[in-house]
Amino acid sequence: MLMRTDPFRDLDRFAQQVFGAGTWSKPAAMPMDAYRTGDEFVVCFDLPGVDPGAVELDVERNVLTVKAERRPLPTGDDVRMHVSERRLGVFSRQLFLGDTLDTEHITANYDAGVLTVRIPIVEKAKPRRIEVGGAGERTQIEA
């Protein structure tokens, strides 16, 4: 499943949320939910107002990287902004995936501002029943 390796990452994520928009060199964090359902692991990222073409998803050595950019609305000379509370800039999140997840068959869907990533669980990690043989079923090994 997901593995957390850096205890200070949450503190860094909080600081990024408080101190401004992200850039390509220092992207801001994006909120997410992660859960297991059946034979897959699901991660949902909140990306409201992000164009689906501005979302990048990469996997390298069991690390899933999600990057997205929310660009400013087109403005002209006749537009005067009264309130601007929506964060603009680059958002990024990296997830360290365990060996029990199948990184070859990841799927992603973007709908209503939510990016949903589905990662199947590998066959060897799924629960299975092991048959137990009785004492009468032993066979003798010949040397």
Side-chain angles (χ1 to χ4, degrees), residues 14-31:
F14 175 73
Q16 287 177 358
Q17 289 175 347
V18 172
F19 296 117
T23 63
W24 281 106
S25 61
K26 187 103 172 126
M30 63 185 84

Side-chain angles (χ1 to χ4, degrees), residues 60-134:
E60 183 178 349
R61 294 186 182 170
N62 285 3
V63 177
L64 174 69
T65 303
V66 180
K67 276 192 176 182
E69 182 177 11
R70 183 180 302 129
R71 298 178 178 106
L73 296 173
T75 58
D77 293 336
D78 61 337
V79 176
R80 288 194 292 161
M81 186 65 75
H82 289 272
V83 178
S84 180
E85 294 180 348
R86 294 179 36 192
R87 300 187 68 170
L88 303 174
V90 179
F91 303 89
S92 179
R93 196 76 184 253
Q94 283 190 322
L95 302 177
F96 297 93
L97 306 176
D99 292 331
T100 60
L101 298 176
D102 184 1
T103 59
E104 297 294 321
H105 297 97
I106 294 175
T107 60
N109 183 36
Y110 184 76
D111 185 36
V114 178
L115 175 66
T116 303
V117 179
R118 297 181 179 279
I119 310 166
I121 296 172
V122 294
E123 199 63 38
K124 67 180 182 181
K126 294 178 184 176
R128 62 190 182 283
R129 181 170 290 278
I130 299 171
E131 295 295 324
V132 178

